[in-house]
Amino acid sequence: MQIRYSRQRELIREILMSTKSHPTAEWIYEKAREQDPTLSLGTVYRNLKFLCEQGEAIALETADKCIHFDGNINNHRHFICNECGRVYDLSESEVEKPCELTNAGFTVERESCVYYGVCAKCNQN
Ligand SMILES: [Zn+2]
Ligand SMILES: [Zn+2]
């Protein structure tokens, strides 16, 4: 049971890492079931939550409360379109840490910056 559980987690992790499209749990579930038809959506949710807790994945919420997952945990910023819900990656360049934190002795371990607005595609319509 334990072995099976971690193999499913590995499968979910591989699928998440193989895409840059910031998929939803449902999308990962569809992909994963092609390889393991016994997988349940609940297992996918549980494993995605676990990966986020372990710092191996990031969860992003769109304006309509849809959760997207990102297997790229390098510091990078996101833009989320309020019209189409698409998640865009911004540059992974090192982002300057706010000096009010570093000066006060805080250690920043992870940063998550999300811009919300209307993407270029939606602006053309
Ligand atoms: Zn858009
Ligand atoms: Zn991303």
Side-chain angles (χ1 to χ4, degrees):
M1 194 64 202
Q2 197 54 45
I3 290 163
R4 178 179 186 80
Y5 177 66
S6 50
R7 198 193 299 141
Q8 290 187 330
R9 182 186 300 155
E10 210 45 54
L11 174 61
I12 290 162
R13 193 213 310 260
E14 271 171 30
I15 290 167
L16 183 59
M17 297 299 175
S18 69
T19 178
K20 284 186 183 299
S21 68
H22 304 86
T24 59
E26 286 77 9
W27 188 92
I28 294 169
Y29 171 66
E30 292 298 328
K31 282 271 175 200
R33 276 183 54 104
E34 291 169 11
Q35 294 181 56
D36 184 351
T38 68
L39 201 70
S40 72
L41 185 56
T43 304
V44 173
Y45 276 119
R46 254 196 318 279
N47 281 290
L48 287 170
K49 186 165 175 274
F50 177 84
L51 290 173
C52 288
E53 283 166 2
Q54 297 297 302
E56 294 181 55
I58 302 167
L60 296 154
E61 193 177 347
T62 61
D64 55 1
K65 303 281 179 229
C66 186
I67 309 289
H68 291 257
F69 293 91
D70 192 351
N72 176 7
I73 53 162
N74 294 325
N75 279 342
H76 66 290
R77 287 175 279 184
H78 291 100
F79 180 93
I80 297 178
C81 179
N82 288 333
E83 299 286 326
C84 65
R86 198 173 284 142
V87 181
Y88 294 86
D89 273 335
L90 301 182
S91 75
E92 293 181 23
S93 61
E94 190 62 26
V95 181
E96 190 117 15
K97 307 280 180 294
C99 56
E100 63 206 87
L101 287 177
T102 43
N103 288 352
F106 290 81
T107 304
V108 177
E109 292 179 336
R110 194 171 75 80
E111 68 131 55
S112 165
C113 177
V114 184
Y115 299 98
Y116 292 91
V118 181
C119 76
K121 274 206 183 84
C122 291
N123 266 331
Q124 281 169 4
N125 296 332

